[in-house]
C-alpha cells in the first residue's frame, strides 16, 4: 500500500484520540464526564431500592487489583480471538496455495 494511506490513517486516529480530550478538557467525573456506564447503572439500580440476593465469594482487595484482573481477562480474550482469526486465515491461505498447485 501507499505510504500516504498510512499517514492519513495515523492522522485520523490521532484526531479521534485527541479531539475528545480537547473538547472535555478540565471536566471530570464530578461533572458527569468520563464516568462509566457501570457506575451509572449501579446508581440507577440503587435508587430503585434493590437489595442483592447474594454476595460475591471473593472481592479483590483494591480497585487496582480489580482493574488488573479486568485487563488480564480482556488480554486473554484478545489472544483467543486473534488465535482463531489467525487459524482460519492460515487455513484459507493453505487452501488457496493448494488450489494453485
Amino acid at each position: 500500500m501507499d505510504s500516504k494511506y498510512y499517514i492519513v490513517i495515523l492522522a485520523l486516529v490521532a484526531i479521534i484520540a485527541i479531539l475528545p480530550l480537547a473538547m472535555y478538557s478540565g471536566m471530570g467525573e464530578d461533572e458527569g464526564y468520563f464516568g462509566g456506564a457501570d457506575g451509572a447503572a449501579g446508581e440507577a439500580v440503587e435508587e430503585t431500592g434493590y437489595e442483592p440476593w447474594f454476595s460475591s465469594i471473593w472481592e479483590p482487595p483494591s480497585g487496582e487489583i480489580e482493574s488488573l484482573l479486568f485487563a488480564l481477562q480482556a488480554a486473554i480474550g484478545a489472544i483467543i480471538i486473534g488465535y482463531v482469526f489467525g487459524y482460519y486465515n492460515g487455513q484459507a491461505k493453505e487452501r488457496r496455495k493448494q488450489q494453485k498447485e
Side-chain angles (χ1 to χ4, degrees):
M1 290 200 168
D2 192 13
S3 63
K4 288 183 180 178
Y5 176 77
Y6 292 117
I7 292 171
V8 169
I9 294 294
L10 283 174
L12 286 174
V13 168
I15 289 171
I16 289 171
I18 293 171
L19 189 63
L21 296 174
M23 288 173 53
Y24 298 107
S25 177
M27 299 178 189
E29 288 186 36
D30 296 337
E31 291 88 21
Y33 296 100
F34 301 111
D38 291 342
E43 289 176 11
V45 169
E46 287 176 3
E47 288 176 3
T48 63
Y50 172 78
E51 292 184 25
W53 53 277
F54 73 97
S55 61
S56 300
I57 296 172
W58 177 77
E59 290 192 23
S62 69
E64 289 83 12
I65 300 295
E66 187 176 344
S67 296
L68 172 72
L69 293 174
F70 183 76
L72 185 65
Q73 179 184 6
I76 290 170
I79 289 169
I80 291 171
I81 290 171
Y83 175 79
V84 169
F85 278 122
Y87 178 78
Y88 285 113
N89 189 23
Q91 278 188 337
K93 280 184 180 178
E94 185 65 29
R95 205 174 307 124
R96 276 184 254 133
K97 185 179 174 183
Q98 288 179 355
Q99 286 176 352
K100 285 183 180 180
E101 292 176 353

